[in-house]
Amino acid sequence: KDEFLEAPRPLEGVTVAVKDNFCVTGTRTSCGSRMLDNFTAPYTATVVERSQKAGGIVIGKTNLDEFAMGSGTVDSYCGPTKNIWRSGIKYKLKTKHGTDVNDGSLTTEKLADSWPVAGGSSGGTAVAVAAGAATVGLGSDTGGSVRIPAAWCGIPSLKPSYGALSRHGLIPLVNSLDVPGLMARNVQDLQIYFDALHGRDQFDSTSVDL
C-alpha cells in the first residue's frame, strides 16, 4: 500500500510549540525551574503524542512561570518572556491567500523605558504562535494560564472542559483544576487541533469521551 496515497492526517506538517511542563520522551522538561534543569522525561504526554500521531511536528519547548504558577511568564529560571507586540520587531502582513499586504517595513512601536510581558503562565507558547514560529501550541490552564497570554498576545485560545483532554504527562500545579489548553492563529485551527487531541485516555482516569 502506497502511504502517499493515504488521506493526510489532520495536522500533517503543522508546527507545534509545547509548554515546558509537558513531558516529551528524551527531552528536558524543566517547568521553568532550576530544580528540574537536569530532568529528562522518560515518557511523552498524551496530548503531545496525539499531536505527533496526527502529523504535527514539535519544534520546541516553551518558557513558563516556574511550575506554571504565575500570570506573566516572568518567574522562570530561563528569564522572562517578552511579548512580540510593542517589541520593535519588523513584521509583514499577509492575506489568507499568502499575498503581501505591506513590504515588511512596519514595526510594532517599541516602549522607550520598558517592554510588555507576554502574560502567563503559558507565555512562551503564546509568543511562539503569535510570532508565527508555530502554527498551534500547547499550554496548561489552571486559572487563566492559557487565556491570559493568548489575550495579551492577540491570538485565540481554548481552555477545554476538565477531562476533555488527557492530563497524562502534564506536570501538575493543581490536579483538580489543571487542563491542557490550546492556542492557534485562528479559531478554525483551534477546532482542528482540539478534534485531534480529545478523547478518553487509559492513563488519565478523569478523561472522558465527548
Side-chain angles (χ1 to χ4, degrees):
K1 177 166 80 168
D2 189 345
E3 62 178 340
F4 296 106
L5 296 180
E6 295 179 0
R9 295 173 292 180
L11 301 180
E12 197 70 64
V14 170
T15 50
V16 182
V18 176
K19 186 177 181 179
D20 196 25
N21 59 348
F22 288 93
C23 292
V24 178
T25 303
T27 302
R28 182 174 64 181
T29 301
S30 73
C31 288
S33 175
R34 196 172 300 279
M35 290 174 62
L36 295 180
D37 180 62
N38 62 352
F39 171 65
T40 300
Y43 61 91
T44 296
T46 296
V47 287
V48 176
E49 187 176 72
R50 289 180 178 177
S51 297
Q52 294 172 319
K53 286 184 176 179
I57 301 169
V58 174
I59 60 167
K61 308 291 284 295
T62 59
N63 200 19
L64 67 156
D65 287 297
E66 187 171 13
F67 293 111
M69 189 163 58
S71 58
T73 312
V74 295
D75 297 319
S76 167
Y77 85 117
C78 299
T81 295
K82 296 183 178 183
N83 199 318
I84 186 67
W85 301 112
R86 302 300 295 269
S87 63
I89 296 174
K90 290 185 178 182
Y91 66 93
K92 180 180 288 188
L93 297 175
K94 290 180 177 289
T95 69
K96 64 180 181 179
H97 303 296
T99 56
D100 292 342
V101 175
N102 67 296
D103 60 5
S105 62
L106 294 177
T107 62
T108 56
E109 182 183 355
K110 189 174 182 180
L111 296 180
D113 301 317
S114 185
W115 49 266
V117 298
S121 63
S122 306
T125 295
V127 169
V129 173
T135 305
V136 296
L138 277 173
S140 62
D141 197 309
T142 307
S145 285
V146 163
R147 293 162 288 169
I148 292 170
W152 288 12
C153 291
I155 58 173
S157 65
L158 174 66
K159 176 188 181 289
S161 298
Y162 189 83
L165 298 183
S166 171
R167 293 180 297 109
H168 172 68
L170 167 60
I171 298 174
L173 172 61
V174 182
N175 264 320
S176 59
L177 295 173
D178 296 338
V179 298
L182 312 179
M183 303 185 204
R185 299 291 292 274
N186 58 67
V187 174
Q188 182 180 14
D189 286 350
L190 275 180
Q191 180 181 353
I192 293 170
Y193 196 23
F194 176 73
D195 287 345
L197 301 186
H198 73 73
R200 178 92 172 101
D201 176 23
Q202 63 175 327
F203 298 115
D204 179 2
S205 61
T206 64
S207 62
V208 296
D209 282 320
L210 299 178

